[in-house]
Amino acid sequence: MPLGTDRTDHHDRDDRGDRADRADRTKKKRTELAHFLRSRRAALSPGDVGLATAARRARVGLRREEVAVLAGVSASWYAWLEQGRPIKVSDGILDAISRALRFSESERVHLYRLADANPPLPLSAPDLPDSGLFQRLVDTQLSGPACVIDRYWEVLAVNEPAAEVLRLGRDGNDNFLTSLFTGSHGERYLNRPQLARRMTARFRLQSSYGADDPRYEEIADELAERDSRFAELWERHEVEEFAPTTVEVDRPGEGRVPFVLFTMDLDEAARTRLLVYLPPGAAGPVSAWS
């Protein structure tokens, strides 16, 4: 037997196993998609969608043919979709089906995910909680610096330590990313180059989730024009998930103080995020989060 045969066979089995796992996940998603569409169709009546019906129906809910007409697709194609067949669906068709079945924004996003499509941008501006709620959160629950940012990293609320130590919300530091590069906020970090690189990679990844939203590109273009360091980092096209990060802050009267920066989504769509700077000791050994 040639050398390496056992190893090759092992890798082949692993590859087959991975393909089988992906196939199982895809099949499960198609099954869930079919069930979701059928359940939403059954929950609507012709009157709910502006259709007239002349006779009493044997079953409640819309017929497949009616949904197909409302969505502008063929009845056979829509039937295949509800049967969980492996067919490709464009974003435009998903939106048409969402409108036909009167989906809420959450249902629309769920449909996209089940169809293995990138979650869409909201059709309307999201309703955010009263900003006073964010302010009370950072003021009363957190002893270290803390702030709340929106999806474009605009600062919505800061507590006193964040304002005093990091200058967030002051001196024009109203956007976490831009002020990291061009404001007095960024000057507070002793490891600013490392933090800037990581935050740029995180903003790049977040922008990919809103690929149809021009605001991300506008923020990046404007900042690249103002700061060559950001332009260079943005050009690298690095991406990074949000994860606990060690930062070193020049704290007035104390000098170098390490914190662990944690990020937590405040809603399922990551429209708002809480950034918390845990003081030394509260997050365990700083080296664990480097």
Side-chain angles (χ1 to χ4, degrees), residues 62-124:
L62 293 177
R63 294 168 177 158
R64 285 176 176 169
E65 295 81 5
E66 291 169 334
V67 176
V69 169
L70 292 169
V73 298
S74 71
S76 58
W77 185 92
Y78 183 77
W80 294 339
L81 186 64
E82 270 203 6
Q83 291 165 1
R85 297 195 187 186
I87 56 178
K88 294 291 291 182
V89 189
S90 69
D91 290 359
I93 293 298
L94 291 174
D95 280 344
I97 293 172
S98 297
R99 290 190 296 269
L101 292 173
R102 303 299 193 264
F103 281 177
S104 66
E105 192 61 35
S106 297
E107 289 171 329
R108 178 171 169 257
V109 170
H110 187 59
L111 174 66
Y112 266 69
R113 287 174 173 164
L114 292 180
D116 270 336
N118 288 326
L121 290 174
L123 291 174
S124 58

Side-chain angles (χ1 to χ4, degrees), residues 16-276:
R16 288 195 296 270
D18 289 343
R19 287 195 297 270
D21 287 343
R22 287 195 297 270
D24 287 342
R25 289 194 295 270
T26 299
K27 183 177 180 180
K28 183 178 179 180
K29 269 193 171 182
R30 287 201 298 264
T31 300
E32 292 177 354
L33 172 62
H35 179 268
F36 179 59
L37 291 174
R38 289 195 300 268
S39 68
R40 297 304 88 205
R41 176 167 60 85
L44 292 174
S45 69
D48 293 331
V49 296
L51 295 178
T53 178
R56 188 171 182 178
R57 294 178 179 241
R59 294 183 178 179
V60 297
L62 293 177
R63 294 168 177 158
R64 285 176 176 169
E65 295 81 5
E66 291 169 334
V67 176
V69 169
L70 292 169
V73 298
S74 71
S76 58
W77 185 92
Y78 183 77
W80 294 339
L81 186 64
E82 270 203 6
Q83 291 165 1
R85 297 195 187 186
I87 56 178
K88 294 291 291 182
V89 189
S90 69
D91 290 359
I93 293 298
L94 291 174
D95 280 344
I97 293 172
S98 297
R99 290 190 296 269
L101 292 173
R102 303 299 193 264
F103 281 177
S104 66
E105 192 61 35
S106 297
E107 289 171 329
R108 178 171 169 257
V109 170
H110 187 59
L111 174 66
Y112 266 69
R113 287 174 173 164
L114 292 180
D116 270 336
N118 288 326
L121 290 174
L123 291 174
S124 58
D127 294 327
L128 296 178
D130 176 12
S131 60
L133 173 64
F134 297 142
Q135 194 64 54
R136 290 191 295 275
L137 172 66
V138 297
D139 282 340
T140 63
Q141 301 299 316
L142 304 164
S143 59
C147 67
V148 175
I149 61 174
D150 69 9
R151 68 173 122 182
Y152 306 121
W153 295 28
E154 296 292 331
V155 177
L156 302 179
V158 299
N159 64 0
E160 191 63 23
E164 285 293 332
V165 178
L166 301 175
R167 312 306 297 171
L168 282 169
R170 298 184 180 180
D171 307 334
N173 297 312
D174 298 322
N175 182 284
F176 190 96
L177 182 69
T178 58
S179 64
L180 178 60
F181 284 90
T182 64
S184 57
H185 163 221
E187 295 170 358
R188 308 309 301 166
Y189 299 102
L190 297 177
N191 62 335
R192 186 181 189 178
Q194 295 85 357
L195 182 61
R197 179 177 180 178
R198 302 192 74 170
M199 289 303 180
T200 300
R202 294 175 186 189
F203 189 78
R204 170 70 86 169
L205 179 63
Q206 184 173 337
S207 71
S208 69
Y209 296 143
D212 296 329
D213 188 343
R215 183 60 186 141
Y216 289 106
E217 185 176 358
E218 292 170 2
I219 293 171
D221 288 347
E222 292 170 6
L223 185 52
E225 288 183 4
R226 296 171 58 191
D227 192 278
S228 60
R229 295 167 300 176
F230 174 80
E232 179 185 349
L233 291 172
W234 191 252
E235 186 64 24
R236 293 182 188 181
H237 209 124
E238 295 175 339
V239 294
E240 177 181 308
E241 292 282 0
F242 283 86
T245 304
T246 299
V247 299
E248 297 177 357
V249 174
D250 183 11
R251 192 165 193 167
E254 298 182 37
R256 175 188 173 276
V257 178
F259 288 94
V260 178
L261 174 56
F262 282 86
T263 306
M264 292 171 277
D265 293 344
L266 295 180
D267 61 85
E268 195 266 342
R271 296 189 300 257
T272 50
R273 285 191 169 100
L274 173 65
L275 277 61
V276 181

